[in-house]
């Protein structure tokens, strides 16, 4: 039986937002995109990393004393971490009395992940749920996702691949071989703007969407709606055109922009750049929904 290793940053049980029914969502670490609204910044780095929540820090200095590499130093507010020195050994996590430090990301085998998945088999059966792999970007760890999904299929568990669509055709092929449903993000259609804002060009993404459609795998197109960045009528109509042309029977889910992940940026040494951005108004969400429904496309606004 295929047992592969992957890097996971969270496994969420009883999830109801990542596909039909009650699901277990396996969040993978590592993403080649840099969406500034990302609500899981700890998912971007492909490797395990030290996360520090300054709001919990008791300023005791235990981490400073135990670190073999001098990575944390004391400051007025707690500690500062020199991430170039940190080798993610975890010694500081063990001595922190406030749980302000943790290692985000863990190498896990398919066997280990599947042991957890199997615990909730009864919920999948009764709710029409299953397992979702999300990220991070799942196409960055295709062998691991394929291994988890193939194990699910052997036991009749529904699988959902939640992807930005950015990955090689070979990676996509491996994942799709065991996928029942795809959640596929479409954010922007203008190639230059896509590259500027997200850090990669959109052509690979669109080509992968075509591949998924050609396989006939049910697909939900997910559109994060970020005021001022991708919510223009022009962009939404262009996404609607792509949806209608490539996956005519797709449902569109609009994902309202929120700031839930903003505090997590500092924890992994990153800077959140959208502090001043307002969240969507109900009118803005309704306008976006109408763009799709007005063109005969099923559309839901997520919470
Ligand atoms: S994880 Fe290890 S190297 Fe990194 S700061 Fe903590 S003790 Fe130092
Ligand atoms: S050990 Fe924990 S509580 Fe103490 S200074 Fe370090 S992060 Fe803060």
């Amino acid at each position: 039986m295929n047992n592969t290793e992957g890097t996971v940053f969270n496994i969420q049980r009883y999830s109801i937002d990542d596909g039909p029914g009650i699901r277990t969502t396996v969040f993978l670490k590592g993403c080649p995109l840099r969406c500034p609204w990302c609500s899981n910044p700890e998912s971007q780095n492909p490797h395990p990393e030290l996360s520090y929540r300054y709001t919990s820090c008791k300023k005791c200095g235990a981490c400073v004393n135990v670190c073999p590499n001098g990575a944390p130093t004391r400051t007025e507010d707690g500690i500062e971490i020199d991430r170039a020195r940190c080798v993610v050994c975890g010694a500081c996590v063990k001595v922190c009395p406030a749980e302000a430090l943790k290692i985000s990301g863990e190498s896990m085998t398919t066997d280990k992940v599947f042991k957890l998945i199997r615990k909730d088999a009864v919920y999948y059966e009764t709710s029409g749920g299953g397992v979702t792999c999300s990220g991070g970007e799942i196409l960055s760890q295709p062998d691991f996702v394929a291994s988890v999904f193939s194990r699910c299929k052997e036991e009749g568990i529904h699988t959902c691949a939640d992807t930005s669509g950015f990955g090689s055709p070979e990676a996509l092929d491996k994942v799709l071989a065991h996928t029942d449903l795809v959640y596929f993000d479409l954010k922007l259609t203008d190639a230059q703007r896509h590259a500027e804002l997200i850090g990669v060009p959109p052509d690979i993404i669109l080509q992968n969407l075509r591949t998924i459609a050609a396989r006939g795998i049910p697909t939900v197109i997910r559109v994060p709606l970020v005021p001022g960045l991708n919510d223009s009528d022009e962009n939404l109509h262009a996404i609607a055109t792509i949806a209608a042309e490539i996956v005519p029977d797709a449902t569109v889910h609009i994902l309202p922009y929120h700031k839930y992940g903003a505090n997590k940026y500092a924890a992994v040494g990153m800077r959140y750049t959208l502090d001043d951005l307002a969240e969507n108004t109900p009118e803005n969400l309704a306008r976006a929904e109408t763009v799709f429904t007005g063109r005969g496309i099923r559309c839901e606004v997520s919470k």
Side-chain angles (χ1 to χ4, degrees):
M1 200 177 276
N2 188 355
N3 190 28
T4 308
E5 264 192 46
T7 309
V8 172
F9 78 90
N10 189 20
I11 296 183
Q12 171 96 47
R13 295 169 71 191
Y14 316 117
S15 166
I16 51 166
D17 296 321
D18 301 315
I22 296 172
R23 311 191 72 81
T24 297
T25 304
V26 182
F27 288 95
L28 305 186
K29 209 151 159 33
C31 182
L33 275 58
R34 288 295 175 265
C35 307
W37 54 82
C38 178
S39 57
N40 288 325
E42 73 276 36
S43 74
Q44 294 184 6
N45 179 339
H47 307 293
E49 62 193 318
L50 184 63
S51 164
Y52 165 60
R53 207 166 36 162
Y54 75 92
T55 46
S56 302
C57 179
K58 292 185 187 309
K59 305 178 191 175
C60 69
C63 54
V64 177
N65 297 336
V66 80
C67 178
N69 297 327
T73 47
R74 294 180 91 143
T75 67
E76 253 179 41
D77 300 326
I79 57 162
E80 193 170 290
I81 300 163
D82 180 346
R83 288 176 184 275
R85 286 173 175 249
C86 175
V87 295
V88 200
C89 69
C92 57
V93 177
K94 288 189 189 132
V95 299
C96 176
E99 296 186 3
L101 294 164
K102 70 168 189 174
I103 304 296
S104 181
E106 179 189 349
S107 181
M108 295 180 84
T109 61
T110 312
D111 282 348
K112 189 170 179 185
V113 172
F114 202 72
K115 225 176 184 176
L116 265 177
I117 287 173
R118 204 185 252 140
K119 283 185 180 172
D120 294 331
V122 65
Y123 296 108
Y124 312 145
E125 275 170 34
T126 52
S127 70
V131 169
T132 298
C133 279
S134 183
E137 174 44 56
I138 62 167
L139 297 180
S140 296
Q141 298 192 54
D143 293 317
F144 180 62
V145 176
S147 171
V148 171
F149 276 3
S150 68
R151 200 74 70 86
C152 288
K153 295 320 301 170
E154 281 165 17
E155 304 216 359
I157 297 171
H158 180 271
T159 57
C160 174
D162 180 8
T163 177
S164 71
F166 192 83
S168 69
E170 295 76 24
L172 184 67
D173 211 43
K174 285 178 184 175
V175 169
L176 290 187
H178 313 283
T179 296
D180 293 315
L181 171 68
V182 178
Y183 269 21
F184 195 99
D185 285 3
L186 278 183
K187 300 157 178 121
L188 279 162
T189 55
D190 181 84
Q192 192 183 338
R193 187 82 180 117
H194 197 283
E196 278 168 10
L197 201 62
I198 296 171
V200 300
D203 41 347
I204 294 170
I205 293 170
L206 295 180
Q207 185 50 48
N208 282 340
L209 183 59
R210 286 191 187 91
T211 301
I212 294 164
R215 303 269 178 98
I217 300 173
T219 300
V220 172
I221 290 181
R222 308 218 296 171
V223 183
L225 195 72
V226 191
L229 296 186
N230 77 335
D231 67 335
S232 68
D233 277 355
E234 188 188 0
N235 185 54
L236 296 174
H237 272 290
I239 290 174
T241 299
I242 289 169
E245 280 177 14
I246 303 180
V247 246
D249 56 351
T251 298
V252 169
H253 286 178
I254 293 173
L255 311 178
Y257 162 71
H258 58 70
K259 294 183 194 288
Y260 300 156
N263 291 337
K264 296 197 271 178
Y265 278 70
V268 288
M270 294 168 64
R271 195 168 75 83
Y272 187 66
T273 56
L274 302 184
D275 277 324
D276 298 332
L277 200 66
E279 296 190 353
N280 289 281
T281 60
E283 293 74 26
N284 201 34
L285 293 170
R287 176 186 61 85
E289 186 179 11
T290 306
V291 168
F292 294 99
T293 55
R295 295 179 56 170
I297 298 169
R298 280 190 306 274
C299 180
E300 294 169 16
V301 178
S302 300
K303 293 211 175 93

